């Protein structure tokens, strides 16, 4: 599915990623661990070309990903970070901004809201007025409504209670989803089919 070779990233004279190579297969649930500052977030962003490496070759289904393919390539991915966006409008406005044709997905939206124990009235509240846990659950719901094939999950449950950690994991168990998961929470080990250890270089456990 995705093959990456020779990813090398250097920032401020510091090597962050040192010639990483590997393959991601369809349906993989890859847990990525490593010490703080080991390049985990940089690696995820490099896969999306949000961070441009000094060297790298990334192929999708044996086709090299170049600048002219970036838009279609990124459209396969859903990226969820640890911190929700700092959006100043209503929660519903954020959803309309992020999810095209969200009105056609209203039933699915309310199913997710109920699943994550979120009151639908929150949609009319300013996003910034929500608690951190509510914001992150909304952030996860938005990404799920995008219905992408590959999800890059960067410490997305670090601020959630145990019940919502389990609910979040359950959302990504589908066999047709490919997930790269940065987390040190042991709960994610139940989902993982592979385990990568990243500390400038990449090794598979």
């Amino acid at each position: 599915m995705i093959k990456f070779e020779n990813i090398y990233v250097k920032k401020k004279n510091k090597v962050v990623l040192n010639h990483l190579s590997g393959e991601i297969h369809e349906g993989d649930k890859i847990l990525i661990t490593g010490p703080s500052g080991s390049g985990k977030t940089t690696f995820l962003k490099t896969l999306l070309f949000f961070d441009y490496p000094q060297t790298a070759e990334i192929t999708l289904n044996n086709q090299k990903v170049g600048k002219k393919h970036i838009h279609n390539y990124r459209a396969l991915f859903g990226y969820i970070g640890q911190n929700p966006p700092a959006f100043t409008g209503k929660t519903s406005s954020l959803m309309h901004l992020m999810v095209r044709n969200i009105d056609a997905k209203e039933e699915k939206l309310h199913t997710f809201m109920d699943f994550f124990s979120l009151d639908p009235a929150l949609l009319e509240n300013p996003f910034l007025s929500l608690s951190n846990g509510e914001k992150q659950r909304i952030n996860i719901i938005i990404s799920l409504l995008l219905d992408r094939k590959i999800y890059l999950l960067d410490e997305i449950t670090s601020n959630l209670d145990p019940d919502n950690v389990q609910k979040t994991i359950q959302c990504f168990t589908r066999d047709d989803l490919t997930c790269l998961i940065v987390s040190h929470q042991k709960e994610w080990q139940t989902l993982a089919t592979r385990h990568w250890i990243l500390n400038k270089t990449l090794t598979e456990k």
Side-chain angles (χ1 to χ4, degrees):
M1 188 179 187
I2 296 175
K3 184 176 182 179
F4 55 92
E5 295 181 287
N6 199 31
I7 292 180
Y8 182 80
V9 176
K10 189 175 183 180
K11 297 181 180 181
K12 296 180 179 179
N13 295 319
K14 178 184 177 183
V15 175
V16 182
L17 301 176
N18 193 10
H19 302 290
L20 271 56
S21 298
E23 292 189 43
I24 302 163
H25 308 122
E26 187 173 356
D28 274 347
K29 309 290 192 291
I30 303 174
L31 180 64
I32 303 173
T33 60
S36 178
S38 61
K40 300 183 293 297
T41 295
T42 297
F43 172 62
L44 295 186
K45 291 184 176 180
T46 298
L47 284 179
L48 291 171
F49 293 97
F50 289 146
D51 276 352
Y52 272 85
Q54 276 73 23
T55 63
E57 182 171 310
I58 298 177
T59 59
L60 172 68
N61 297 327
N62 298 316
Q63 297 293 317
K64 184 176 180 179
V65 180
K67 288 188 176 181
K68 66 180 181 179
H69 309 115
I70 291 296
H71 179 74
N72 290 335
Y73 172 74
R74 285 178 178 163
L76 298 173
F77 291 83
Y79 176 87
I80 310 177
Q82 183 175 2
N83 299 311
F87 184 75
T88 57
K90 290 196 303 185
T91 302
S92 59
S93 298
L94 174 63
M95 290 194 157
H96 277 87
L97 179 67
M98 299 297 293
V99 184
R100 185 179 299 176
N101 298 323
I102 192 171
D103 291 337
K105 301 180 179 182
E106 185 174 0
E107 183 177 350
K108 196 172 184 180
L109 166 60
H110 286 283
T111 298
F112 280 133
M113 294 285 288
D114 182 63
F115 179 73
F116 280 106
S117 303
L118 291 168
D119 186 341
L122 291 177
L123 296 173
E124 298 309 308
N125 293 347
F127 185 67
L128 291 179
S129 72
L130 275 55
S131 70
N132 288 337
E134 289 168 340
K135 289 177 188 174
Q136 185 65 333
R137 281 176 279 167
I138 291 291
N139 194 31
I140 292 167
I141 289 171
I142 287 172
S143 194
L144 290 168
L145 289 172
L146 293 173
D147 198 23
R148 300 296 169 83
K149 295 299 182 184
I150 309 167
Y151 281 93
L152 307 182
L153 312 178
D154 192 358
E155 299 282 9
I156 66 170
T157 54
S158 59
N159 295 318
L160 297 183
D161 61 78
D163 183 50
N164 280 303
V165 171
Q166 292 297 338
K167 287 180 178 181
T168 302
I169 292 171
Q170 187 177 334
C171 290
F172 295 98
T173 56
R174 283 169 31 197
D175 291 340
D176 62 323
L177 294 183
T178 302
C179 301
L180 272 66
I181 308 142
V182 171
S183 180
H184 291 95
Q185 292 175 299
K186 64 181 185 301
E187 291 89 345
W188 284 99
Q189 295 174 8
T190 61
L191 178 67
T193 58
R194 301 172 67 188
H195 184 184
W196 287 352
I197 301 172
L198 181 58
N199 191 4
K200 296 184 181 178
T201 59
L202 186 66
T203 56
E204 183 150 9
K205 188 172 179 180

